[in-house]
């Protein structure tokens, strides 16, 4: 029944497919991280004063999170006001 099957070759082929898929997904994730990360940084930078941005970049985690949230709140508010009028 298993005379025609070459299990070792099939396993190696599937292993190669898995490796290729993983490399492709890693590259896609890196590309998305770069694209979204730049957009995110621009949004945060554009909604904070220079001092707030300095605290966001150089502050402790708790302080950074505070200013990041403040920037996102300002961005949402700007977007609502832009769409409202």
């Amino acid at each position: 029944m298993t005379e025609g099957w070459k299990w070792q070759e099939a396993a190696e082929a599937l292993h190669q497919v898995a490796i290729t898929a993983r490399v492709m997904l890693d590259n896609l994730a890196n590309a998305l991280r770069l694209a979204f990360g730049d957009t995110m940084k621009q949004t945060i930078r554009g909604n904070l004063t220079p001092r707030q941005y300095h605290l966001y970049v150089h502050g402790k985690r708790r302080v950074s999170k505070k200013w990041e949230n403040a920037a996102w709140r300002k961005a949402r508010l700007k977007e609502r006001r832009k769409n409202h009028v």
Side-chain angles (χ1 to χ4, degrees):
M1 180 173 181
T2 60
E3 294 171 10
W5 291 90
K6 297 180 181 178
W7 294 105
Q8 186 63 30
E9 290 179 20
E12 290 173 5
L14 283 175
H15 182 68
Q16 288 300 321
V17 168
I19 290 172
T20 304
R22 181 174 183 151
V23 169
M24 287 173 51
L25 288 175
D26 286 344
N27 290 339
L28 178 63
N30 287 337
L32 290 174
R33 188 177 306 118
L34 289 174
F36 184 69
D38 289 344
T39 304
M40 198 169 125
K41 283 181 184 177
Q42 289 174 354
T43 300
I44 290 173
R45 182 81 188 239
N47 287 303
L48 294 178
T49 65
R51 179 67 180 159
Q52 291 170 340
Y53 185 74
H54 173 82
L55 291 171
Y56 165 71
V57 172
H58 299 290
K60 293 181 180 179
R61 177 68 189 132
R62 194 170 178 175
V63 174
S64 288
K65 192 171 181 181
K66 170 186 175 179
W67 292 115
E68 181 179 351
N69 289 333
W72 287 118
R73 276 193 308 273
K74 285 182 182 180
R76 281 193 308 269
L77 188 59
K78 270 186 191 177
E79 190 64 29
R80 261 192 268 148
R81 286 178 178 162
K82 183 175 76 173
N83 291 336
H84 182 67
V85 175

